[in-house]
């Protein structure tokens, strides 16, 4: 079945629908090849007949946009820039014959049939062959030809309909490459790089950081040397009191803590096991679990540890990282215990979702223990993929690659439901794939439960803009389908970040940190998602939360007043992200228990493993899903 892109696109591409006597058109459609992740275009929109159709990275350029006109089950495909139509010259049935453009004349040689194949379509030519890429090319300028139809990925196409209303801000210059970022309760964005603004290497005992203020659209830089900590490639966690904990990295045993209330960095207790590239998560107790990290501090032996404000770090001898690491990483343990996907849960457990294919429960009490949660279901090792909690105990796993670098990324998407806890079966379900395979990808959950997927590469290559994915996608929670958003102009690949702002927009930045190289991106842009815009692109009218408590307890009834009628509420925890890992990011829908005018009584969850202690963004939403600006509620 095809990716549903709204009722209009369904009408266009689902071939089993009843044919219409009147032609139907779908403008601004992209033809995305599954094998290469690239788009069909007419170079520079050249209107000369006979020009070959080729592929280039998808940037939503006019020469990459096509109007598909449907008559019965067939399509005429017209380029928006050149005004010409794709055709097979002379209606050839020759294997390897090119796909060209010509003056649109409605002849049979310009008619293509779209056949469903799994989650894509094959474009069948008049001679009964399929549109393919010469030599299954994954390179810029690869030529479209026709070949005998089969199951090759290079014959699978996504007909990606018009972008949803969305917009990018102008580029925001930063003093450094933001390799890590955290949204703070005051609405500012904390970012940092390494000992250098634009490079990393070794333990230099200092870190460049900056604080971006959306109110002024400016950032202020600070060199943090007081903690003696080079905070490149660490674990990160947003503590219950709003502070940001940073552990390990280039200074592999150190811990530093940033307090947004005082704007001060302080030294935390050192870890017992030095590490970098590990995974962290906050637990229901307010403690922090860290595991893995053979990138620094020596290879192997990266036992789990628990941090608490009173005791510092204690080891979990029953939680060896080797038991959680992927078994088939070509880089061995140096890579396989990196970037673990960890999520605090109920009953003193944390849930481990990958990147390896085997999921696990981790008991965090006593000396700790590991209990299998079964295979994830996709059977694909997904290093540098992404996982986000879009509702209580429900994860969306996106993309990744079977090695850290120099391999093709995957486009697979799976939902993982561990809401019933460590004593029940974890439910895994395959979702429709993304249109673009992505490694080094970031994803951000919105108040609606939809997930914005940003950046990454369809071929994992460190410190490179090559094969970057410029078109974000939004996964719709209610339908399990993807839609495309406005294209970026700056690639966001390795060492990029994305985080939700208090106003419901998405802050995206970084990429690079490679010294004197052309792929450093010391800048950011802000994405305005579809729910903040009307169909014509004008700003949607937003509700506002006028009163809410500053703190709340578990199972509490909370009274919230808005300036107009709303339909739903959700909470999203403040969080920190680096290297595509944002384990503390989680969204929870909050039921309305009673309504009186525009005053609503909300019931918070009583389970600390669901509603982790700390600062949460509370959003009110209209029936159409337009969110308010968030109010911060501290759960304690």
């Amino acid at each position: 079945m095809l990716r549903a892109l709204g009722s209009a696109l369904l009408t266009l591409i689902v071939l089993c629908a009843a044919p219409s006597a009147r032609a139907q058109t779908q403008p601004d459609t992209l033809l995305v090849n599954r094998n290469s992740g690239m788009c069909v275009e007419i170079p520079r929109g050249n209107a000369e007949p006979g020009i070959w159709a080729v592929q280039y990275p998808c940037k939503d350029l006019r020469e990459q946009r096509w109007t598909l006109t449907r008559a019965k089950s067939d399509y005429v495909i017209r380029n928006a820039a050149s005004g010409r139509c794709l055709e097979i010259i002379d209606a050839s049935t020759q294997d390897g014959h090119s796909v060209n453009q010509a003056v649109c004349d409605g002849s049979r040689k310009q008619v293509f049939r779209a056949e469903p194949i799994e989650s894509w379509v094959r474009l069948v030519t008049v001679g009964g062959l399929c549109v393919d890429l010469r030599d299954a090319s994954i390179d810029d300028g690869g030529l479209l030809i026709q070949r005998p139809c089969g199951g090759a990925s290079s014959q699978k196409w996504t007909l990606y309909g018009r972008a949803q209303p969305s917009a990018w801000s102008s580029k925001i210059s930063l003093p450094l490459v933001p390799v890590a970022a955290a949204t703070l309760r005051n609405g500012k964005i904390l970012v940092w790089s390494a000992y250098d603004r634009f490079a990393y290497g070794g333990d230099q005992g200092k870190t460049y950081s900056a604080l971006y203020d959306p109110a002024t659209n400016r950032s202020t830089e600070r060199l943090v040397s007081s903690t003696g900590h080079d905070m490149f490639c660490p674990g990160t966690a947003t503590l219950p009191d709003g502070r940001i904990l940073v552990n390990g990295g280039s200074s592999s045993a150190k811990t530093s803590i940033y307090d947004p209330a005082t704007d001060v960095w302080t030294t935390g207790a050192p870890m017992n096991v030095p590490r970098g590239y590990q995974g962290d998560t906050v637990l229901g107790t307010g403690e922090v679990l860290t595991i893995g990290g053979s990138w620094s501090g020596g290879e192997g032996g990266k036992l789990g540890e628990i941090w608490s404000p009173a005791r510092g770090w204690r080891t979990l001898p029953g939680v060896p990282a080797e038991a959680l690491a992927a078994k088939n990483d070509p880089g061995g343990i140096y890579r396989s215990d990196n970037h673990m996907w960890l999520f605090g849960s109920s009953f003193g457990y944390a849930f481990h979702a990958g990147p390896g294919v085997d999921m696990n429960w981790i008991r965090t009490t006593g000396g700790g223990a590991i209990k299998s949660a079964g295979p994830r279901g996709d059977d694909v090792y997904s290093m540098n993929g992404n996982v986000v909690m879009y509702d209580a105990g429900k994860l969306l796993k996106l993309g990744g690659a079977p090695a850290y670098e120099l391999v093709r990324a995957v486009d697979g998407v799976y939902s993982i439901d561990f809401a019933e806890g460590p004593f029940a079966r974890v439910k895994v379900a395959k979702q429709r794939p993304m249109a673009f395979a992505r490694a080094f990808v970031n994803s951000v959950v919105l108040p609606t439960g939809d997930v914005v997927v940003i950046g990454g590469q369809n071929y994992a290559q460190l410190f490179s803009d090559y094969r970057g994915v410029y078109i974000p996608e939004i996964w719709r929670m209610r339908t399990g389908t993807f839609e495309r958003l406005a294209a970026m102009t700056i690639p966001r690949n390795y060492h990029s970040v994305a985080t939700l702002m208090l106003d419901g927009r998405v802050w995206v930045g970084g990429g690079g940190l490679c010294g004197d190289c052309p792929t450093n991106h010391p800048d950011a842009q802000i994405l305005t998602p579809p729910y903040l815009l009307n169909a014509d692109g004008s700003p949607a009218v937003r509700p506002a939360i006028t009163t809410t408590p500053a703190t709340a307890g578990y199972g509490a009834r909370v009274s919230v007043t808005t300036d107009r009628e709303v339909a739903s509420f959700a909470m999203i925890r403040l969080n920190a992200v680096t290297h595509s890992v944002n384990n503390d990011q989680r969204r929870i829908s909050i039921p309305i228990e009673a309504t009186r005018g525009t005053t609503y009584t909300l019931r918070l969850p009583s389970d600390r493993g669901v509603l982790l202690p700390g600062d949460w963004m509370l959003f009110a939403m209209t029936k159409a899903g337009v969110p308010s600006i968030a109010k911060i509620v501290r759960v304690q």
Side-chain angles (χ1 to χ4, degrees):
M1 184 174 178
L2 300 177
R3 177 182 288 102
L5 301 175
S7 58
L9 188 54
L10 273 173
T11 302
L12 171 70
I13 62 177
V14 176
L15 302 180
C16 60
S20 171
R22 189 174 0 182
Q24 301 171 1
T25 61
Q26 178 68 32
D28 295 339
T29 297
L30 303 182
L31 309 182
V32 184
N33 187 264
R34 192 211 176 184
N35 187 61
S36 66
M38 296 192 189
C39 281
V40 178
E41 73 170 62
I42 299 300
R44 298 176 296 281
N46 191 329
E48 182 180 349
I51 296 291
W52 276 27
V54 297
Q55 67 174 3
Y56 277 99
C58 297
K59 298 183 179 179
D60 204 4
L61 304 174
R62 184 168 172 77
E63 54 263 35
Q64 293 178 346
R65 298 177 188 170
W66 302 84
T67 295
L68 275 63
T69 302
R70 176 186 178 195
K72 296 185 178 179
S73 61
D74 297 328
Y75 298 84
V76 174
I77 304 174
R78 184 187 188 114
N79 188 261
S82 70
R84 306 304 191 192
C85 290
L86 292 183
E87 76 167 26
I88 303 298
I89 295 175
D90 299 327
S92 171
T93 60
Q94 180 182 351
D95 180 5
H97 201 82
S98 62
V99 180
N100 301 70
Q101 71 170 4
V103 174
C104 300
D105 60 13
S107 63
R108 291 181 65 248
K109 60 188 176 183
Q110 294 181 358
V111 173
F112 297 83
R113 186 175 74 254
E115 286 185 352
I117 177 169
E118 300 168 0
S119 295
W120 301 270
V121 296
R122 290 188 299 206
L123 296 173
V124 183
T125 67
V126 64
L129 281 70
C130 281
V131 176
D132 204 332
L133 285 156
R134 177 178 286 178
D135 300 322
S137 172
I138 60 171
D139 296 323
D140 295 2
L143 302 176
L144 268 68
I145 60 172
Q146 64 177 3
R147 295 294 318 278
C149 295
S153 292
S154 55
Q155 291 185 3
K156 296 175 182 177
W157 301 87
T158 296
L159 312 181
Y160 223 165
R162 175 175 283 172
Q164 295 298 298
S166 47
W168 288 94
S169 73
S170 57
K171 185 173 75 172
I172 302 164
S173 295
L174 299 172
L176 49 80
V177 174
V179 179
T183 300
L184 307 177
R185 62 176 288 126
N186 57 17
K188 297 179 181 180
I189 308 293
L190 173 70
V191 297
W192 67 91
S193 55
Y195 80 94
D196 189 271
R197 299 177 180 92
F198 310 114
Y200 76 95
D203 179 359
Q204 308 296 326
K206 58 184 180 180
T207 302
Y208 277 93
S209 72
L211 200 59
Y212 170 76
D213 187 347
T216 63
N217 201 36
R218 294 181 179 178
S219 59
T220 54
E221 182 188 74
R222 172 185 298 171
L223 176 60
V224 181
S225 57
S226 59
T227 66
H229 189 174
D230 188 336
M231 292 180 271
F232 172 71
C233 69
T236 62
T238 302
L239 299 176
D241 60 7
R243 296 181 299 162
I244 307 300
L245 181 143
V246 181
N247 58 305
S250 289
S251 297
S252 56
K254 293 185 177 180
T255 300
S256 296
I257 299 177
Y258 174 76
D259 189 343
T262 59
D263 191 27
V264 171
W265 287 90
T266 57
T267 301
M271 289 182 291
N272 299 292
V273 180
R275 62 183 87 227
Y277 274 13
Q278 73 272 29
D280 283 9
T281 187
V282 172
L283 304 172
T285 59
E287 298 172 309
V288 177
L289 169 68
T290 191
I291 304 174
S294 286
W295 180 83
S296 64
E299 295 185 23
K302 307 300 185 179
L303 290 172
E305 291 188 74
I306 299 286
W307 176 90
S308 67
R311 300 171 54 187
W313 294 96
R314 64 179 176 87
T315 56
L316 299 175
V319 186
E322 286 82 356
L324 306 174
K327 305 302 186 290
N328 55 343
D329 191 306
I333 196 65
Y334 175 71
R335 288 300 193 190
S336 64
D337 71 357
N338 295 185
H339 306 320
M340 291 194 181
W341 305 335
L342 307 170
F343 301 89
S345 187
S346 307
F347 310 112
Y349 280 82
F351 181 69
H352 165 246
V357 300
D358 296 317
M359 303 181 298
N360 295 276
W361 288 102
I362 301 167
R363 181 168 57 79
T364 62
T365 56
I370 296 173
K371 173 184 175 183
S372 174
R376 194 172 58 236
D378 55 356
D379 295 325
V380 177
Y381 175 41
S382 300
M383 178 57 70
N384 295 315
N386 201 253
V387 175
V388 60
M389 187 182 293
Y390 64 90
D391 209 348
K394 296 181 179 180
L395 305 175
L396 191 70
K397 178 265 176 184
L398 304 124
Y404 205 93
E405 59 176 324
L406 302 180
V407 289
R408 302 275 292 277
V410 298
D411 55 14
V413 178
Y414 287 77
S415 63
I416 304 169
D417 186 343
F418 68 93
E420 295 183 13
F423 310 110
R425 184 175 66 89
V426 175
K427 302 170 186 175
V428 181
K430 185 176 183 179
Q431 304 290 307
R432 293 185 179 94
M434 299 178 288
F436 304 98
R438 302 174 190 254
F440 310 126
V441 57
N442 287 283
S443 59
V444 173
V445 65
L446 302 179
T448 55
D450 298 338
V451 176
V452 174
V453 186
I454 298 170
Q457 295 171 291
N458 56 36
Y459 183 85
Q461 185 171 343
L462 306 185
F463 308 114
S464 171
D465 289 343
Y466 177 63
R467 302 292 299 278
V469 181
Y470 289 82
I471 295 181
E473 301 179 75
I474 185 168
W475 179 79
R476 299 295 193 180
M477 181 181 68
R478 293 187 182 278
T479 62
T481 58
F482 284 93
E483 298 168 345
R484 68 182 174 101
L485 303 181
M488 304 184 298
T489 57
I490 303 170
R492 302 295 181 189
N493 302 331
Y494 188 52
H495 289 163
S496 64
V497 292
T499 186
L500 185 69
M501 302 172 68
L502 269 61
D503 64 7
R505 297 182 298 164
V506 180
W507 194 92
V508 182
L513 202 75
C514 44
D516 185 16
C517 69
T519 55
N520 278 336
H521 297 291
D523 49 60
Q525 286 182 282
I526 298 174
L527 171 67
T528 299
Y531 61 11
L532 293 177
L533 300 172
N534 297 314
D536 62 1
S538 61
V541 176
R542 305 182 68 165
I545 298 175
T546 54
T547 64
T548 188
T551 61
Y554 288 91
R557 289 182 172 87
V558 174
S559 180
V560 178
T561 303
T562 60
D563 69 339
R564 68 194 66 213
E565 182 180 353
V566 297
S568 60
F569 291 84
M571 296 174 72
I572 297 178
R573 196 175 189 275
L574 293 181
N575 50 79
V577 57
T578 187
H579 289 79
S580 300
V581 179
N582 194 343
N583 291 336
D584 289 338
Q585 181 182 207
R586 57 174 61 197
R587 170 195 172 271
I588 297 173
S589 55
I590 305 297
I592 299 173
E593 197 169 74
T595 303
R596 188 176 70 253
T598 57
T599 297
Y600 303 85
T601 301
L602 311 181
R603 185 65 173 264
L604 300 189
S606 58
D607 189 339
R608 296 177 65 93
V610 172
L611 190 67
L612 296 180
D615 291 332
W616 292 74
M617 295 179 277
L618 174 65
F619 292 93
M621 288 165 285
T622 67
K623 187 175 181 180
V626 181
S628 67
I629 294 175
K631 294 290 188 180
I632 298 296
V633 177
R634 177 163 292 178
V635 178
Q636 56 188 18

